[in-house]
Amino acid sequence: MTYEVSFPNGKRQDFSEIDLFVRPWNAPEDPAEILAAGGAESQFLHDRRQSAIGPLRALTSASQGLTSLLSAGIDFVPHQVAAVRRVLSDPIQRYLLADEVGLGKTIEAGLIIRQHLIDNAETRVLIAAPAKLCEQWRRELSKKLRLDQFGAPFECCSHEDLARVSRTPDVLVVDEAHHLVGFEDGPMAQSAARLREPRMRRCCCCCRQRRHLAMKQSSSRCSICSIH
């Protein structure tokens, strides 16, 4: 698009819109109002921005609100997406991720955590795992799931230390949760009791499929989410 410009000396000349810059006589009180109205955007920039916004909107629509899938930077498979969607669509997110070894329970839990952090960066996340696996969880959540971009969004403790955590997290993930079954007293029994607290409204327990029945008996408030 071209515009005819009149100069103070009376001359007129046509210019393309990409060669023009409009400067207001008076500075606006709130520049955000001009930006919101598109006053700082030319048709040239608008058309080119739409070529990027269109595919982005289509991709966001295809994810059905699970924006963590678009930004995690990992490969995942349909059953993992189904598990993440099922958990996040439930207002009470107390689930037992009961798949066999190698089917991606860590990825499922990580995507759930990532979505909560995208929705609210102030979400407090705690992962309880066997002591020997804590460093692995830290590494995979930071590097594979890219949770390090949120700063320090999660803490990781051993099963034994779970009973000593005083502050209730917004999201609790318990790996190898079947190790908390069958203890009548001691730190493990106290840790298992934390899973049954009503205030733990967002709790994902990960265990192997063949042991999920024992976990179901121990943590009856959890729904089962597994591959059959």
Side-chain angles (χ1 to χ4, degrees):
M1 183 179 294
T2 59
Y3 294 87
E4 184 183 60
V5 178
S6 298
F7 293 94
N9 61 5
K11 292 185 177 181
R12 297 173 180 270
Q13 187 174 344
D14 291 336
F15 290 91
S16 170
E17 64 177 6
I18 63 176
D19 297 323
L20 297 177
F21 177 78
V22 179
R23 180 173 60 87
W25 289 108
N26 298 314
E29 294 183 2
D30 185 3
E33 295 180 0
I34 294 180
L35 294 175
E41 182 178 73
S42 66
Q43 189 66 40
F44 175 82
L45 295 177
H46 175 272
D47 292 343
R48 281 146 185 81
R49 185 174 291 111
Q50 289 304 308
S51 64
I53 292 178
L56 179 60
R57 286 176 175 168
L59 194 60
T60 302
S61 176
S63 71
Q64 298 182 6
L66 300 181
T67 50
S68 62
L69 302 178
L70 307 179
S71 57
I74 59 172
D75 294 327
F76 41 80
V77 292
H79 80 264
Q80 294 169 336
V81 177
V84 172
R85 178 174 290 113
R86 178 176 175 181
V87 173
L88 291 174
S89 62
D90 196 327
I92 301 179
Q93 297 170 13
R94 296 178 59 89
Y95 274 82
L96 184 60
L97 304 178
D99 298 331
E100 287 293 355
V101 175
L103 292 181
K105 296 185 293 294
T106 302
I107 289 178
E108 293 169 2
L111 289 171
I112 292 168
I113 293 172
R114 182 173 179 82
Q115 188 63 56
H116 279 296
L117 289 170
I118 290 174
D119 295 341
N120 180 9
E122 301 299 321
T123 299
R124 299 188 304 272
V125 180
L126 176 65
I127 295 98
K132 63 182 180 181
L133 296 180
C134 284
E135 184 56 35
Q136 178 180 328
W137 269 90
R138 294 188 186 98
R139 183 173 60 253
E140 293 196 3
L141 291 182
S142 296
K143 302 304 179 183
K144 290 185 178 181
L145 277 301
R146 299 170 60 186
L147 296 190
D148 53 343
Q149 68 183 166
F150 295 96
F154 66 91
E155 297 180 9
C156 193
C157 72
S158 66
H159 285 166
E160 293 84 355
D161 290 338
L162 177 59
R164 293 187 283 272
V165 174
S166 58
R167 190 177 183 184
T168 301
D170 299 313
V171 177
L172 172 65
V173 174
V174 183
D175 189 26
E176 300 286 330
H178 48 273
H179 290 312
L180 298 179
V181 176
F183 290 91
E184 300 298 331
D185 52 27
M188 287 299 193
Q190 297 175 27
S191 295
R194 295 297 302 273
L195 305 183
R196 295 188 290 271
E197 293 179 3
R199 57 183 175 174
M200 293 289 188
R201 294 179 59 85
R202 295 171 179 168
C203 177
C204 287
C205 298
C206 304
C207 76
R208 301 170 194 173
Q209 189 180 51
R210 63 178 177 271
R211 301 188 183 182
H212 78 247
L213 291 179
M215 270 302 303
K216 185 177 181 181
Q217 294 173 356
S218 176
S219 186
S220 59
R221 292 190 180 91
C222 285
S223 300
I224 303 294
C225 188
S226 64
I227 300 174
H228 299 288

